[in-house]
Each structure stands twice: as structure tokens, then as C-alpha cells.
Amino acid sequence: MAMQFYASPEQIMRDRSELARKGIARGRSAVVLSYAGGVLFVAENLSSTLHKVGEIYDRIGFAAVGRYNEFENLRRAGVRMADLNGLSYDRRDVTGLALANTFAQILGTIFTEQSKPFEVEICVAEVGATSEDDSLYRLTYDGSVTDEPGRMAMGGQADAISGVLKSNHRPDMSLGEAVKVAVQALGSVGGEGGAARTIAADQLEVAVLDRNRVGRTFRRITGAALTGLLDGGAEGEAAAEGDRAETPTTPTEEAHKPTTSAGSADLEDKPGDKPDA
């Protein structure tokens, strides 16, 4: 009869934490911050079809880094729960805090009961009437929840990116200024020899929760509007503001878009990284 090796619960938890942290660190980063007009999401993403940023409900958005199939399952669960509560009670009863608590319970259960934890770090953001009312919740692989002070960075070298955000972020920034600060923070790491780098518009996924929009506030910024914002021209910000007239996709419609069920949202590994299985 073969002997089973004993491992203490502390060692098992450490091993699971190390596995999750390494998986998250391999991913490209994402930034979430408040600005005068709402909440901005900026993620470095080479794919135009696999989204790191999405809508959950009227005034609630979602951003994540790590393994795509894992955080997409969480987002879909959040959409279903929000739709159910909104229809059963009232749309105002669906809050970012309630969704964050639900995600925390799911992640905590998986971390303690499953042999492999989710390799994800996510943000649930809710836009308020003013910047002071915006809520940003960070959730980690073990179910921990923290309330962030108007800005946060996830994945990759998040600590260095957070330092740049802390130095440059202001809650009264315009959309153009907020995009510049976010892209500058993302580009401050990952260059050759530790130098800053330039990130092209087609390598970014950008979306906002627009506090001035009635009802559903989520909208994506793409194409000429995004390029104009990165170039710093007034025309770019005007084009981005003009996107409000577009009809957004409902959360339920987004949840039924065809997606892949394996792999990471980062389709190209950074130099020296091993590809995810």
C-alpha cells in the first residue's frame, strides 16, 4: 500500500497562494480610476474579442486580469445575479458592494475547497453621483475584498503602476487627462531595461461608466475616439463624448457573446514567460 505524503494546511495554502500570484503576475495589467465624468477602465489587451473589461449592470462595471476562462465565468455569474435581483426587487437594489461580496464568497470557497485556486484579480466598480460616491472594490484569488481610494492597478507590476497613479491621479480630471494618466502608468513598466514604453491604441481596451448618462452608464471607447484621446486633441475628447449617443449592449447580451473557454486573455506572453496551459 502506497504511503500518502502529509502536507500541513499552512503549506497547502501557501502553495495555492503562490500558484495564483504567479498566474496573475504573468498577465498584462489593468487600471481603474475615478475622474470627473465617471469611472475609467483601461486594460492592456492585444485581443479585440476577449474582453478584460465588461458591464454587469446599470451603474456597475467589471475589470479583471489573470486567466480569461475563470474571470469570465465570474462576470457571467455576476450578470445573472444582478439581473435576477433587479427583476425580483428593484434595479436600485443591485449594488457594487453586494456583487463584490458574492464574488468574494465564490473565490474564498474555491480557494479553500478546490485543489487549484482561480488565478484572477478583479475589480467591481460602481459609479456614483460624484467622484466621492464612486466605489472601487478589489477582489483577490482568496476572496479578500478591499475598498480602493478612487484608483487601483491589477496584474503584472501592479505596485509600480500604482505608484505612478498615486502621483498623477486627481478625482477632478477630465476624460482625456484620465486616459493619459492611465496609459502613462501602464507604460511606466515593462520596457527594455526597466524603461518606460509607448502603448498603441490597438493594444488597449478602454471603457467608462459615464455618471452623466441616464440609466445604463457603461460604454466602450474605441477607434478614432480612443486615438484622439491618446493624441491629446480636443477633437478626441469630443468624439469620445459623442459616443454617448450610441446604443450600448445590454449586460445579458454581453453574457451570451461567443467566447473561448480556455487560456488567458493575454494572447501573447511577455518575454521569458511560459505560456499558460
Side-chain angles (χ1 to χ4, degrees), residues 215-266:
R216 295 181 44 234
T217 61
F218 183 87
R219 61 188 177 89
R220 296 188 183 276
I221 301 176
T222 59
L226 177 57
T227 303
L229 285 174
L230 294 177
D231 291 340
E235 297 83 358
E237 188 151 356
E241 295 295 332
D243 286 345
R244 292 180 186 173
E246 297 180 1
T247 302
T249 307
T250 65
T252 304
E253 288 172 345
E254 280 208 355
H256 288 87
K257 285 181 180 178
T259 57
T260 182
S261 59
S264 169
D266 300 316

mmCIF file of all heavy atoms in Angstrom, residues 215-266:
data_model
loop_
_atom_site.group_PDB
_atom_site.id
_atom_site.type_symbol
_atom_site.label_atom_id
_atom_site.label_comp_id
_atom_site.label_asym_id
_atom_site.label_seq_id
_atom_site.Cartn_x
_atom_site.Cartn_y
_atom_site.Cartn_z
ATOM 1 N N GLY A 215 -29.708 55.995 -16.736
ATOM 2 C CA GLY A 215 -29.903 54.551 -16.859
ATOM 3 C C GLY A 215 -28.574 53.830 -16.936
ATOM 4 O O GLY A 215 -27.733 53.963 -16.056
ATOM 5 N N ARG A 216 -28.368 53.090 -17.986
ATOM 6 C CA ARG A 216 -27.144 52.305 -18.141
ATOM 7 C C ARG A 216 -25.988 53.205 -18.540
ATOM 8 O O ARG A 216 -26.088 53.989 -19.477
ATOM 9 C CB ARG A 216 -27.371 51.193 -19.168
ATOM 10 C CG ARG A 216 -28.407 50.182 -18.676
ATOM 11 C CD ARG A 216 -28.660 49.052 -19.643
ATOM 12 N NE ARG A 216 -27.426 48.548 -20.171
ATOM 13 C CZ ARG A 216 -27.184 48.453 -21.471
ATOM 14 N NH1 ARG A 216 -28.063 48.848 -22.343
ATOM 15 N NH2 ARG A 216 -26.032 47.971 -21.884
ATOM 16 N N THR A 217 -24.889 53.092 -17.831
ATOM 17 C CA THR A 217 -23.795 54.055 -17.949
ATOM 18 C C THR A 217 -22.567 53.515 -18.673
ATOM 19 O O THR A 217 -21.676 54.293 -19.009
ATOM 20 C CB THR A 217 -23.355 54.511 -16.543
ATOM 21 O OG1 THR A 217 -22.889 53.365 -15.798
ATOM 22 C CG2 THR A 217 -24.512 55.146 -15.787
ATOM 23 N N PHE A 218 -22.494 52.211 -18.912
ATOM 24 C CA PHE A 218 -21.281 51.616 -19.476
ATOM 25 C C PHE A 218 -21.189 51.879 -20.975
ATOM 26 O O PHE A 218 -22.162 51.732 -21.704
ATOM 27 C CB PHE A 218 -21.277 50.110 -19.232
ATOM 28 C CG PHE A 218 -20.034 49.405 -19.720
ATOM 29 C CD1 PHE A 218 -18.918 49.294 -18.911
ATOM 30 C CD2 PHE A 218 -19.988 48.851 -20.991
ATOM 31 C CE1 PHE A 218 -17.783 48.635 -19.350
ATOM 32 C CE2 PHE A 218 -18.858 48.192 -21.444
ATOM 33 C CZ PHE A 218 -17.754 48.089 -20.617
ATOM 34 N N ARG A 219 -20.017 52.274 -21.443
ATOM 35 C CA ARG A 219 -19.760 52.400 -22.876
ATOM 36 C C ARG A 219 -18.276 52.205 -23.141
ATOM 37 O O ARG A 219 -17.425 52.541 -22.314
ATOM 38 C CB ARG A 219 -20.219 53.756 -23.425
ATOM 39 C CG ARG A 219 -19.541 54.959 -22.812
ATOM 40 C CD ARG A 219 -20.211 56.260 -23.275
ATOM 41 N NE ARG A 219 -19.611 57.423 -22.638
ATOM 42 C CZ ARG A 219 -18.567 58.095 -23.121
ATOM 43 N NH1 ARG A 219 -18.029 57.726 -24.270
ATOM 44 N NH2 ARG A 219 -18.091 59.144 -22.488
ATOM 45 N N ARG A 220 -17.985 51.652 -24.287
ATOM 46 C CA ARG A 220 -16.595 51.428 -24.692
ATOM 47 C C ARG A 220 -16.115 52.606 -25.538
ATOM 48 O O ARG A 220 -16.903 53.251 -26.238
ATOM 49 C CB ARG A 220 -16.459 50.134 -25.482
ATOM 50 C CG ARG A 220 -16.800 48.893 -24.670
ATOM 51 C CD ARG A 220 -16.471 47.605 -25.417
ATOM 52 N NE ARG A 220 -16.871 46.454 -24.628
ATOM 53 C CZ ARG A 220 -16.126 45.914 -23.678
ATOM 54 N NH1 ARG A 220 -14.928 46.420 -23.413
ATOM 55 N NH2 ARG A 220 -16.559 44.872 -22.993
ATOM 56 N N ILE A 221 -14.814 52.858 -25.485
ATOM 57 C CA ILE A 221 -14.189 53.890 -26.308
ATOM 58 C C ILE A 221 -13.202 53.200 -27.227
ATOM 59 O O ILE A 221 -12.226 52.581 -26.767
ATOM 60 C CB ILE A 221 -13.477 54.942 -25.442
ATOM 61 C CG1 ILE A 221 -14.471 55.600 -24.489
ATOM 62 C CG2 ILE A 221 -12.820 55.998 -26.321
ATOM 63 C CD1 ILE A 221 -13.837 56.589 -23.535
ATOM 64 N N THR A 222 -13.439 53.275 -28.513
ATOM 65 C CA THR A 222 -12.612 52.573 -29.489
ATOM 66 C C THR A 222 -12.341 53.466 -30.692
ATOM 67 O O THR A 222 -12.883 54.569 -30.811
ATOM 68 C CB THR A 222 -13.323 51.288 -29.977
ATOM 69 O OG1 THR A 222 -14.583 51.651 -30.558
ATOM 70 C CG2 THR A 222 -13.577 50.329 -28.820
ATOM 71 N N GLY A 223 -11.503 52.967 -31.586
ATOM 72 C CA GLY A 223 -11.294 53.603 -32.879
ATOM 73 C C GLY A 223 -10.755 55.011 -32.808
ATOM 74 O O GLY A 223 -9.858 55.333 -32.029
ATOM 75 N N ALA A 224 -11.338 55.893 -33.629
ATOM 76 C CA ALA A 224 -10.856 57.268 -33.742
ATOM 77 C C ALA A 224 -11.009 58.035 -32.434
ATOM 78 O O ALA A 224 -10.177 58.885 -32.110
ATOM 79 C CB ALA A 224 -11.620 57.987 -34.864
ATOM 80 N N ALA A 225 -12.060 57.720 -31.665
ATOM 81 C CA ALA A 225 -12.252 58.416 -30.390
ATOM 82 C C ALA A 225 -11.104 58.115 -29.434
ATOM 83 O O ALA A 225 -10.576 59.015 -28.775
ATOM 84 C CB ALA A 225 -13.585 58.016 -29.771
ATOM 85 N N LEU A 226 -10.695 56.854 -29.354
ATOM 86 C CA LEU A 226 -9.586 56.482 -28.476
ATOM 87 C C LEU A 226 -8.272 57.064 -28.969
ATOM 88 O O LEU A 226 -7.479 57.599 -28.176
ATOM 89 C CB LEU A 226 -9.492 54.955 -28.377
ATOM 90 C CG LEU A 226 -8.329 54.401 -27.560
ATOM 91 C CD1 LEU A 226 -8.339 54.949 -26.138
ATOM 92 C CD2 LEU A 226 -8.355 52.877 -27.554
ATOM 93 N N THR A 227 -8.035 56.992 -30.269
ATOM 94 C CA THR A 227 -6.803 57.559 -30.825
ATOM 95 C C THR A 227 -6.724 59.056 -30.549
ATOM 96 O O THR A 227 -5.665 59.583 -30.193
ATOM 97 C CB THR A 227 -6.742 57.303 -32.342
ATOM 98 O OG1 THR A 227 -6.827 55.894 -32.591
ATOM 99 C CG2 THR A 227 -5.443 57.831 -32.920
ATOM 100 N N GLY A 228 -7.843 59.754 -30.689
ATOM 101 C CA GLY A 228 -7.865 61.183 -30.412
ATOM 102 C C GLY A 228 -7.567 61.495 -28.958
ATOM 103 O O GLY A 228 -6.866 62.461 -28.649
ATOM 104 N N LEU A 229 -8.073 60.685 -28.036
ATOM 105 C CA LEU A 229 -7.786 60.893 -26.621
ATOM 106 C C LEU A 229 -6.308 60.692 -26.323
ATOM 107 O O LEU A 229 -5.692 61.442 -25.558
ATOM 108 C CB LEU A 229 -8.621 59.933 -25.770
ATOM 109 C CG LEU A 229 -10.107 60.250 -25.607
ATOM 110 C CD1 LEU A 229 -10.807 59.135 -24.867
ATOM 111 C CD2 LEU A 229 -10.304 61.577 -24.879
ATOM 112 N N LEU A 230 -5.711 59.679 -26.937
ATOM 113 C CA LEU A 230 -4.289 59.411 -26.712
ATOM 114 C C LEU A 230 -3.415 60.508 -27.312
ATOM 115 O O LEU A 230 -2.358 60.833 -26.763
ATOM 116 C CB LEU A 230 -3.907 58.054 -27.312
ATOM 117 C CG LEU A 230 -4.543 56.829 -26.661
ATOM 118 C CD1 LEU A 230 -4.149 55.564 -27.399
ATOM 119 C CD2 LEU A 230 -4.132 56.727 -25.193
ATOM 120 N N ASP A 231 -3.872 61.090 -28.426
ATOM 121 C CA ASP A 231 -3.118 62.177 -29.049
ATOM 122 C C ASP A 231 -3.268 63.489 -28.293
ATOM 123 O O ASP A 231 -2.507 64.442 -28.539
ATOM 124 C CB ASP A 231 -3.567 62.364 -30.506
ATOM 125 C CG ASP A 231 -3.156 61.192 -31.385
ATOM 126 O OD1 ASP A 231 -2.236 60.452 -30.974
ATOM 127 O OD2 ASP A 231 -3.760 61.005 -32.451
ATOM 128 N N GLY A 232 -4.278 63.561 -27.440
ATOM 129 C CA GLY A 232 -4.428 64.746 -26.597
ATOM 130 C C GLY A 232 -5.190 65.883 -27.218
ATOM 131 O O GLY A 232 -5.233 66.977 -26.656
ATOM 132 N N GLY A 233 -5.817 65.667 -28.361
ATOM 133 C CA GLY A 233 -6.558 66.739 -29.009
ATOM 134 C C GLY A 233 -7.963 66.887 -28.442
ATOM 135 O O GLY A 233 -8.564 65.939 -27.952
ATOM 136 N N ALA A 234 -8.510 68.108 -28.520
ATOM 137 C CA ALA A 234 -9.876 68.346 -28.049
ATOM 138 C C ALA A 234 -10.878 67.569 -28.893
ATOM 139 O O ALA A 234 -11.948 67.185 -28.411
ATOM 140 C CB ALA A 234 -10.188 69.835 -28.095
ATOM 141 N N GLU A 235 -10.525 67.326 -30.183
ATOM 142 C CA GLU A 235 -11.435 66.593 -31.054
ATOM 143 C C GLU A 235 -11.642 65.176 -30.542
ATOM 144 O O GLU A 235 -12.732 64.610 -30.641
ATOM 145 C CB GLU A 235 -10.900 66.565 -32.489
ATOM 146 C CG GLU A 235 -10.791 67.924 -33.161
ATOM 147 C CD GLU A 235 -9.501 68.650 -32.784
ATOM 148 O OE1 GLU A 235 -8.733 68.100 -31.974
ATOM 149 O OE2 GLU A 235 -9.292 69.769 -33.289
ATOM 150 N N GLY A 236 -10.569 64.578 -29.990
ATOM 151 C CA GLY A 236 -10.670 63.219 -29.483
ATOM 152 C C GLY A 236 -11.623 63.115 -28.314
ATOM 153 O O GLY A 236 -12.453 62.205 -28.253
ATOM 154 N N GLU A 237 -11.544 64.071 -27.401
ATOM 155 C CA GLU A 237 -12.455 64.037 -26.245
ATOM 156 C C GLU A 237 -13.882 64.312 -26.693
ATOM 157 O O GLU A 237 -14.827 63.711 -26.184
ATOM 158 C CB GLU A 237 -12.011 65.059 -25.201
ATOM 159 C CG GLU A 237 -12.779 64.957 -23.902
ATOM 160 C CD GLU A 237 -11.953 65.416 -22.717
ATOM 161 O OE1 GLU A 237 -10.763 65.737 -22.888
ATOM 162 O OE2 GLU A 237 -12.516 65.441 -21.626
ATOM 163 N N ALA A 238 -14.053 65.199 -27.658
ATOM 164 C CA ALA A 238 -15.392 65.467 -28.174
ATOM 165 C C ALA A 238 -15.972 64.228 -28.846
ATOM 166 O O ALA A 238 -17.157 63.914 -28.693
ATOM 167 C CB ALA A 238 -15.349 66.632 -29.162
ATOM 168 N N ALA A 239 -15.126 63.499 -29.583
ATOM 169 C CA ALA A 239 -15.588 62.270 -30.235
ATOM 170 C C ALA A 239 -15.958 61.213 -29.207
ATOM 171 O O ALA A 239 -16.947 60.499 -29.356
ATOM 172 C CB ALA A 239 -14.507 61.735 -31.176
ATOM 173 N N ALA A 240 -15.150 61.125 -28.134
ATOM 174 C CA ALA A 240 -15.452 60.158 -27.081
ATOM 175 C C ALA A 240 -16.748 60.505 -26.380
ATOM 176 O O ALA A 240 -17.561 59.632 -26.070
ATOM 177 C CB ALA A 240 -14.309 60.106 -26.074
ATOM 178 N N GLU A 241 -16.976 61.780 -26.131
ATOM 179 C CA GLU A 241 -18.224 62.195 -25.501
ATOM 180 C C GLU A 241 -19.396 61.954 -26.438
ATOM 181 O O GLU A 241 -20.506 61.654 -26.003
ATOM 182 C CB GLU A 241 -18.152 63.683 -25.134
ATOM 183 C CG GLU A 241 -17.125 64.009 -24.076
ATOM 184 C CD GLU A 241 -17.442 63.385 -22.737
ATOM 185 O OE1 GLU A 241 -18.630 63.154 -22.455
ATOM 186 O OE2 GLU A 241 -16.507 63.115 -21.965
ATOM 187 N N GLY A 242 -19.151 62.065 -27.739
ATOM 188 C CA GLY A 242 -20.217 61.837 -28.703
ATOM 189 C C GLY A 242 -20.669 60.398 -28.765
ATOM 190 O O GLY A 242 -21.756 60.101 -29.248
ATOM 191 N N ASP A 243 -19.831 59.464 -28.251
ATOM 192 C CA ASP A 243 -20.215 58.056 -28.243
ATOM 193 C C ASP A 243 -21.401 57.783 -27.338
ATOM 194 O O ASP A 243 -21.983 56.713 -27.373
ATOM 195 C CB ASP A 243 -19.033 57.185 -27.776
ATOM 196 C CG ASP A 243 -17.975 57.059 -28.851
ATOM 197 O OD1 ASP A 243 -18.300 57.390 -29.999
ATOM 198 O OD2 ASP A 243 -16.850 56.639 -28.537
ATOM 199 N N ARG A 244 -21.790 58.746 -26.494
ATOM 200 C CA ARG A 244 -22.917 58.524 -25.592
ATOM 201 C C ARG A 244 -24.202 58.250 -26.357
ATOM 202 O O ARG A 244 -25.117 57.617 -25.853
ATOM 203 C CB ARG A 244 -23.135 59.755 -24.704
ATOM 204 C CG ARG A 244 -22.026 59.994 -23.708
ATOM 205 C CD ARG A 244 -22.345 61.218 -22.889
ATOM 206 N NE ARG A 244 -21.226 61.562 -22.019
ATOM 207 C CZ ARG A 244 -21.181 62.663 -21.281
ATOM 208 N NH1 ARG A 244 -22.172 63.517 -21.339
ATOM 209 N NH2 ARG A 244 -20.145 62.911 -20.510
ATOM 210 N N ALA A 245 -24.262 58.783 -27.580
ATOM 211 C CA ALA A 245 -25.495 58.607 -28.345
ATOM 212 C C ALA A 245 -25.658 57.187 -28.853
ATOM 213 O O ALA A 245 -26.733 56.787 -29.270
ATOM 214 C CB ALA A 245 -25.512 59.582 -29.528
ATOM 215 N N GLU A 246 -24.570 56.396 -28.837
ATOM 216 C CA GLU A 246 -24.649 55.041 -29.342
ATOM 217 C C GLU A 246 -25.459 54.167 -28.396
ATOM 218 O O GLU A 246 -25.449 54.340 -27.192
ATOM 219 C CB GLU A 246 -23.239 54.453 -29.504
ATOM 220 C CG GLU A 246 -22.412 55.202 -30.534
ATOM 221 C CD GLU A 246 -21.028 54.597 -30.656
ATOM 222 O OE1 GLU A 246 -20.773 53.606 -29.955
ATOM 223 O OE2 GLU A 246 -20.226 55.110 -31.433
ATOM 224 N N THR A 247 -26.170 53.203 -28.929
ATOM 225 C CA THR A 247 -26.946 52.287 -28.107
ATOM 226 C C THR A 247 -26.022 51.210 -27.571
ATOM 227 O O THR A 247 -25.441 50.446 -28.339
ATOM 228 C CB THR A 247 -28.063 51.635 -28.936
ATOM 229 O OG1 THR A 247 -28.873 52.671 -29.477
ATOM 230 C CG2 THR A 247 -28.899 50.699 -28.070
ATOM 231 N N PRO A 248 -25.860 51.086 -26.246
ATOM 232 C CA PRO A 248 -24.947 50.103 -25.696
ATOM 233 C C PRO A 248 -25.546 48.706 -25.706
ATOM 234 O O PRO A 248 -26.753 48.529 -25.827
ATOM 235 C CB PRO A 248 -24.734 50.584 -24.258
ATOM 236 C CG PRO A 248 -25.989 51.307 -23.932
ATOM 237 C CD PRO A 248 -26.482 51.902 -25.224
ATOM 238 N N THR A 249 -24.684 47.729 -25.562
ATOM 239 C CA THR A 249 -25.125 46.351 -25.483
ATOM 240 C C THR A 249 -25.600 46.060 -24.076
ATOM 241 O O THR A 249 -24.980 46.469 -23.123
ATOM 242 C CB THR A 249 -23.949 45.406 -25.832
ATOM 243 O OG1 THR A 249 -23.410 45.812 -27.075
ATOM 244 C CG2 THR A 249 -24.415 43.971 -25.920
ATOM 245 N N THR A 250 -26.701 45.348 -23.933
ATOM 246 C CA THR A 250 -27.204 45.046 -22.598
ATOM 247 C C THR A 250 -26.307 44.032 -21.931
ATOM 248 O O THR A 250 -25.636 43.242 -22.588
ATOM 249 C CB THR A 250 -28.630 44.465 -22.675
ATOM 250 O OG1 THR A 250 -28.559 43.214 -23.353
ATOM 251 C CG2 THR A 250 -29.564 45.408 -23.390
ATOM 252 N N PRO A 251 -26.278 43.996 -20.579
ATOM 253 C CA PRO A 251 -25.445 43.019 -19.885
ATOM 254 C C PRO A 251 -25.778 41.595 -20.285
ATOM 255 O O PRO A 251 -24.898 40.765 -20.450
ATOM 256 C CB PRO A 251 -25.767 43.280 -18.405
ATOM 257 C CG PRO A 251 -26.244 44.692 -18.364
ATOM 258 C CD PRO A 251 -26.929 44.921 -19.669
ATOM 259 N N THR A 252 -27.083 41.284 -20.464
ATOM 260 C CA THR A 252 -27.464 39.927 -20.820
ATOM 261 C C THR A 252 -26.939 39.576 -22.202
ATOM 262 O O THR A 252 -26.477 38.468 -22.445
ATOM 263 C CB THR A 252 -28.996 39.773 -20.782
ATOM 264 O OG1 THR A 252 -29.457 40.164 -19.488
ATOM 265 C CG2 THR A 252 -29.407 38.347 -21.063
ATOM 266 N N GLU A 253 -26.970 40.527 -23.139
ATOM 267 C CA GLU A 253 -26.450 40.269 -24.478
ATOM 268 C C GLU A 253 -24.961 40.013 -24.426
ATOM 269 O O GLU A 253 -24.442 39.121 -25.086
ATOM 270 C CB GLU A 253 -26.750 41.454 -25.391
ATOM 271 C CG GLU A 253 -28.223 41.583 -25.763
ATOM 272 C CD GLU A 253 -28.515 42.865 -26.504
ATOM 273 O OE1 GLU A 253 -27.656 43.776 -26.486
ATOM 274 O OE2 GLU A 253 -29.586 42.964 -27.082
ATOM 275 N N GLU A 254 -24.230 40.790 -23.603
ATOM 276 C CA GLU A 254 -22.797 40.572 -23.493
ATOM 277 C C GLU A 254 -22.511 39.197 -22.936
ATOM 278 O O GLU A 254 -21.556 38.535 -23.301
ATOM 279 C CB GLU A 254 -22.164 41.652 -22.603
ATOM 280 C CG GLU A 254 -21.932 42.956 -23.302
ATOM 281 C CD GLU A 254 -20.773 43.714 -22.689
ATOM 282 O OE1 GLU A 254 -20.238 43.244 -21.668
ATOM 283 O OE2 GLU A 254 -20.398 44.750 -23.239
ATOM 284 N N ALA A 255 -23.348 38.736 -21.985
ATOM 285 C CA ALA A 255 -23.105 37.451 -21.352
ATOM 286 C C ALA A 255 -23.269 36.300 -22.324
ATOM 287 O O ALA A 255 -22.751 35.216 -22.082
ATOM 288 C CB ALA A 255 -24.059 37.263 -20.177
ATOM 289 N N HIS A 256 -23.993 36.508 -23.448
ATOM 290 C CA HIS A 256 -24.210 35.441 -24.405
ATOM 291 C C HIS A 256 -23.344 35.558 -25.648
ATOM 292 O O HIS A 256 -23.537 34.813 -26.605
ATOM 293 C CB HIS A 256 -25.690 35.405 -24.806
ATOM 294 C CG HIS A 256 -26.575 34.884 -23.715
ATOM 295 N ND1 HIS A 256 -27.095 35.708 -22.739
ATOM 296 C CD2 HIS A 256 -27.004 33.631 -23.422
ATOM 297 C CE1 HIS A 256 -27.844 34.982 -21.912
ATOM 298 N NE2 HIS A 256 -27.790 33.732 -22.296
ATOM 299 N N LYS A 257 -22.377 36.472 -25.648
ATOM 300 C CA LYS A 257 -21.455 36.528 -26.769
ATOM 301 C C LYS A 257 -20.601 35.270 -26.784
ATOM 302 O O LYS A 257 -20.216 34.758 -25.739
ATOM 303 C CB LYS A 257 -20.546 37.753 -26.653
ATOM 304 C CG LYS A 257 -21.244 39.066 -26.992
ATOM 305 C CD LYS A 257 -20.261 40.205 -26.881
ATOM 306 C CE LYS A 257 -20.898 41.540 -27.215
ATOM 307 N NZ LYS A 257 -19.964 42.645 -27.058
ATOM 308 N N PRO A 258 -20.253 34.740 -27.972
ATOM 309 C CA PRO A 258 -19.404 33.555 -28.008
ATOM 310 C C PRO A 258 -18.023 33.869 -27.469
ATOM 311 O O PRO A 258 -17.423 34.884 -27.789
ATOM 312 C CB PRO A 258 -19.357 33.201 -29.507
ATOM 313 C CG PRO A 258 -19.698 34.476 -30.209
ATOM 314 C CD PRO A 258 -20.646 35.202 -29.310
ATOM 315 N N THR A 259 -17.526 33.006 -26.620
ATOM 316 C CA THR A 259 -16.208 33.192 -26.039
ATOM 317 C C THR A 259 -15.482 31.867 -26.036
ATOM 318 O O THR A 259 -16.063 30.805 -26.229
ATOM 319 C CB THR A 259 -16.297 33.695 -24.589
ATOM 320 O OG1 THR A 259 -17.082 32.770 -23.837
ATOM 321 C CG2 THR A 259 -16.940 35.065 -24.519
ATOM 322 N N THR A 260 -14.199 31.923 -25.788
ATOM 323 C CA THR A 260 -13.423 30.706 -25.637
ATOM 324 C C THR A 260 -13.412 30.300 -24.179
ATOM 325 O O THR A 260 -13.555 31.121 -23.301
ATOM 326 C CB THR A 260 -11.983 30.918 -26.121
ATOM 327 O OG1 THR A 260 -11.285 29.687 -25.989
ATOM 328 C CG2 THR A 260 -11.277 31.977 -25.320
ATOM 329 N N SER A 261 -13.264 29.022 -23.902
ATOM 330 C CA SER A 261 -13.335 28.545 -22.525
ATOM 331 C C SER A 261 -11.975 28.126 -21.997
ATOM 332 O O SER A 261 -11.898 27.440 -20.990
ATOM 333 C CB SER A 261 -14.287 27.347 -22.441
ATOM 334 O OG SER A 261 -13.847 26.303 -23.276
ATOM 335 N N ALA A 262 -10.921 28.504 -22.675
ATOM 336 C CA ALA A 262 -9.609 28.103 -22.188
ATOM 337 C C ALA A 262 -8.606 29.188 -22.466
ATOM 338 O O ALA A 262 -8.764 30.004 -23.352
ATOM 339 C CB ALA A 262 -9.164 26.803 -22.864
ATOM 340 N N GLY A 263 -7.554 29.187 -21.653
ATOM 341 C CA GLY A 263 -6.446 30.100 -21.896
ATOM 342 C C GLY A 263 -6.605 31.412 -21.186
ATOM 343 O O GLY A 263 -7.548 31.664 -20.469
ATOM 344 N N SER A 264 -5.635 32.293 -21.407
ATOM 345 C CA SER A 264 -5.608 33.591 -20.746
ATOM 346 C C SER A 264 -6.047 34.664 -21.710
ATOM 347 O O SER A 264 -5.994 34.500 -22.925
ATOM 348 C CB SER A 264 -4.182 33.879 -20.267
ATOM 349 O OG SER A 264 -4.043 35.200 -19.857
ATOM 350 N N ALA A 265 -6.465 35.805 -21.153
ATOM 351 C CA ALA A 265 -6.829 36.935 -22.001
ATOM 352 C C ALA A 265 -5.609 37.538 -22.656
ATOM 353 O O ALA A 265 -5.710 38.292 -23.612
ATOM 354 C CB ALA A 265 -7.544 38.000 -21.179
ATOM 355 N N ASP A 266 -4.441 37.247 -22.134
ATOM 356 C CA ASP A 266 -3.206 37.751 -22.717
ATOM 357 C C ASP A 266 -2.745 36.760 -23.770
ATOM 358 O O ASP A 266 -2.233 35.692 -23.461
ATOM 359 C CB ASP A 266 -2.127 37.910 -21.650
ATOM 360 C CG ASP A 266 -2.565 38.876 -20.567
ATOM 361 O OD1 ASP A 266 -3.113 39.928 -20.943
ATOM 362 O OD2 ASP A 266 -2.368 38.581 -19.393
#
